[in-house]
Amino acid sequence: MAKLAINGGTPIRTTLFPAYNTIGEEEKQAVAKVLDSGNLSQYLGAWTDDFFGGPTVRAFENAWKEQLGCKHAISVNSNTSGLFAAMGAIGIQPGDEVIVSPYSMSASAIAPLVYGGIPIFADIDPVTFCMDPVSIEANITPRTKAILIVHIMGHPADMTRIMQLAKQHNLRVIEDCAQAPMGKYKNQYVGTFGDIGIFSLNYHKHIHTGEGGVMVTNDDALAFRCQMIRNHAENIVGPTETADLTNMIGYNYRMTEVEAAIGIEQLKKLPSLLKQRLENVTFFDEQLAQFPALKLQPKQPEGNVHCYYTYPIVFDKTIAGIERNAFVAALNAELPSAILRETAPLIGCGYVKPLYLAPIYQQKAAWAFKPELYPHEVSYAKGLCPVAESMHFEQLFSHEYMRPGMTKADMQDVIDAIAKIFENKDELR
Ligand SMILES: *Cc1c(COP(=O)(O)O)cnc(C)c1O
C-alpha cells in the first residue's frame, strides 16, 4: 500500500492554509475618507503645484521617506514603472549596457531595453541568489553604464562590493527592492545604497496597494528627473528651463489618492508583518535543520535583515537519493497547494526560468538590438549563467509557508509532510 499522497496515500493535510491578507479596517477607513473627498487624484501634467500630486500621495511619500530615512520618495503606479523611470532618469541611451540579474522578476532585466539599453546578465551567487560581484565585474565593458541589482527573495545583495565596483568603474547603481521592503545590509536599509531604490506594492508583495511602487533616492536632480518621467516631462522641461532633455519624454506613472491612502496604512503594518514572518522563518530554520538533504540560507550576520519574500531551499539530490522535482511534486500532493489569496502554488521548483532564455532575448526582439545601434555581440545562449541554470533546473525550490497568519500547527503540517516524504522516499525512486 502506498503511503505518499502522490501515489494514492492519504495526504497530511487537505484544509487550506490561512489566507495572507494584510488589508483591514484601517485601509477601509482611509479609502472611505478619500472617496468622501471626491478627489481621487490631484495630479496635473503641467508645471503647477499639482504636478507633484495630491495631499494623500504626498503624505504617503513623506511616510515612506521617514521610514527609510532618505531624502526623496517618489510614488509610482508599479515597481516596473519605477524601474523604467530609473533607467530614463540615469540617462540610459541606445548602446549602453546595464548589468542585470537572470534570476528575478522579468521587469528587472527588461527595463534597460525601454531606452535602448542592452541587458547584460551576470550570474548569481549560489547562496544568496543575488548577482555575484565576481560575475558583475567580469561583465563590465567600456559601454557599461549601470548595475541593476535585485535583493532577491528579500536577501540583501553584497552592497559593499557592488558599490566598490560602481565607484571604480563610474557606474550608476539601481536597486530593485520589490522583495525586500525594510531589508537591511550592515544596518542600512536596502534601496539607500545605490542611486535609486525601487519598491513594489503589488498584490503579491509583503504589503500592497493592489498595484503600486515607490522610488527612493538621496539625489535631488535624479529625484526631479524621476518625477518628470512619472508625469509628462515634455510639459515641464520648458517652464523649468531644464537643460538636459535626455529621456525627457514623460509617461503617466502616477499613483492615485486611493492607493496612497492604502499605502500609508500598509506601511504602518510592515514592521509587525515582517517580524511575524521572520519568527516563522526561525521556526522553519530550526525544524528543517533535521533534514540533511535540505540546505538552508545561513543565518544573517548582525545588522542584516533578510525579508524572506519566499523561503528558498537548495535540495541535495545526492544526500536525498531522490530528484528535486519528484520531492516537490510529492510535497505538493501532501499539502493544499494554494491559499485563498493566491491561486499560484505556494511551493515551486526553482524560482523563474533564467530570464535570458525567454523569447524576447533569444530572438533579440527589441529595437535596441539593431546593429546600427549596438554593433556588438551579446550572448543569451543556454549555459550563460551556469549557477542560475543549475539552481533553477536542478537544485532550488522555494515555498511561502512562513507567511504571517500561519500558526505553529500549520507550519508543523509542512514539516510532517517533508518528514513523511523522506521516510517513504523509496516510493519515489
Ligand atoms: C514584483 C517584482 C517586480 C515588479 O513589481 P510590479 O510592482 O508588479 O511592477 C519587479 N522586480 C521584482 C524583483 C519583483 O518581485
Side-chain angles (χ1 to χ4, degrees):
M1 272 283 283
K3 291 237 176 63
L4 293 179
I6 198 163
N7 293 332
T10 310
I12 290 277
R13 173 174 174 140
T14 52
T15 50
L16 292 176
F17 287 110
Y20 180 60
N21 185 358
T22 63
I23 304 296
E25 217 32 65
E26 302 81 1
E27 287 77 10
K28 271 193 212 165
Q29 282 173 18
V31 169
K33 222 172 117 190
V34 171
L35 294 180
D36 286 342
S37 79
N39 179 12
L40 307 195
S41 173
Q42 198 170 306
Y43 271 107
L44 201 63
W47 188 232
T48 66
D49 200 39
D50 289 343
F51 169 72
F52 296 101
T56 323
V57 157
R58 293 192 203 190
F60 169 67
E61 291 176 340
N62 278 333
W64 201 275
K65 214 160 71 179
E66 262 165 42
Q67 176 66 58
L68 288 200
C70 58
K71 213 166 162 195
H72 302 276
I74 301 147
S75 59
V76 280
N77 57 6
S78 72
N79 174 295
T80 302
S81 301
L83 290 166
F84 292 5
M87 290 295 109
I90 63 171
I92 293 301
Q93 289 282 284
D96 291 346
E97 293 176 0
V98 179
I99 298 177
V100 299
S101 173
Y103 219 43
S104 181
M105 190 269 167
S106 65
S108 23
I110 212 82
L113 282 170
V114 173
Y115 288 92
I118 301 292
I120 302 290
F121 291 93
D123 208 351
I124 59 170
D125 177 278
V127 175
T128 68
F129 315 118
C130 298
M131 274 195 286
D132 181 351
V134 173
S135 183
I136 293 176
E137 186 166 26
N139 278 290
I140 294 174
T141 75
R143 296 178 292 279
T144 310
K145 289 286 152 38
I147 308 170
L148 200 170
I149 63 112
V150 188
H151 304 287
I152 198 71
M153 303 178 199
H155 195 297
D158 184 349
M159 293 316 293
T160 302
R161 289 169 71 200
I162 290 165
M163 294 313 292
Q164 270 167 3
L165 281 176
K167 201 164 171 203
Q168 201 180 328
H169 298 273
N170 192 27
L171 307 175
R172 295 286 202 172
V173 174
I174 305 300
E175 296 176 69
D176 181 344
C177 310
Q179 303 185 0
M182 284 181 73
K184 280 186 181 170
Y185 178 80
K186 296 187 178 169
N187 289 308
Q188 185 180 336
Y189 283 119
V190 300
T192 64
F193 288 87
D195 295 283
I196 301 172
I198 305 144
F199 296 85
S200 172
L201 291 164
N202 93 11
Y203 172 70
H204 303 278
K205 300 291 152 54
H206 290 71
I207 55 170
H208 77 109
T209 60
E211 305 286 350
V214 191
M215 315 176 71
V216 297
T217 180
N218 288 316
D219 182 315
D220 296 344
L222 277 181
F224 192 50
R225 284 174 63 81
C226 292
Q227 286 160 332
M228 287 207 282
I229 292 170
R230 168 178 71 177
N231 187 12
H232 306 290
E234 65 278 7
N235 292 338
I236 315 304
V237 292
T240 57
E241 293 175 16
T242 299
D244 180 4
L245 298 192
T246 313
N247 297 338
M248 284 298 107
I249 292 173
Y251 292 83
N252 178 348
Y253 290 159
R254 305 176 316 201
M255 177 183 266
T256 73
E257 294 283 287
V258 177
E259 288 141 0
I262 298 171
I264 291 169
E265 299 308 320
Q266 287 283 285
L267 184 58
K268 288 182 198 161
K269 295 179 180 178
L270 179 58
S272 112
L273 287 167
L274 188 56
K275 185 165 168 276
Q276 290 171 55
R277 184 177 289 253
L278 295 184
E279 281 164 9
N280 290 350
V281 163
T282 302
F283 177 87
F284 276 108
D285 283 350
E286 286 168 5
Q287 295 297 313
L288 293 174
Q290 68 185 287
F291 306 110
L294 304 184
K295 211 163 100 203
L296 313 177
Q297 284 186 313
K299 205 169 137 48
Q300 287 296 307
E302 192 64 34
N304 279 21
V305 175
H306 178 339
C307 296
Y308 282 90
Y309 176 61
T310 59
Y311 186 112
I313 299 171
V314 174
F315 188 83
D316 187 327
K317 67 174 178 186
T318 314
I319 296 177
I322 48 173
E323 294 287 332
R324 175 199 66 176
N325 290 7
F327 172 84
V328 170
L331 188 55
N332 268 321
E334 296 295 339
L335 300 167
S337 65
I339 52 167
L340 294 174
R341 185 179 167 233
E342 300 259 350
T343 51
L346 269 169
I347 180 164
C349 294
Y351 170 57
V352 289
K353 194 156 116 180
L355 295 175
Y356 51 85
L357 298 175
I360 206 84
Y361 300 103
Q362 290 303 305
Q363 298 170 31
K364 299 202 175 133
W367 55 268
F369 293 111
K370 285 191 171 150
E372 57 271 34
L373 294 175
Y374 187 73
H376 312 279
E377 282 299 312
V378 56
S379 168
Y380 296 129
K382 192 149 174 27
L384 181 65
C385 297
V387 179
E389 290 186 22
S390 168
M391 282 300 153
H392 185 70
F393 293 111
E394 287 163 43
Q395 300 190 59
L396 181 71
F397 73 99
S398 61
H399 73 80
E400 299 178 85
Y401 292 116
M402 69 304 165
R403 282 175 166 180
M406 291 284 286
T407 65
K408 282 258 156 71
D410 291 328
M411 294 190 288
Q412 189 60 48
D413 282 346
V414 179
I415 304 298
D416 291 348
I418 292 172
K420 180 182 168 189
I421 295 166
F422 281 125
E423 276 159 27
N424 298 282
K425 66 181 180 187
D426 287 347
E427 281 189 32
L428 296 174
R429 276 200 252 254

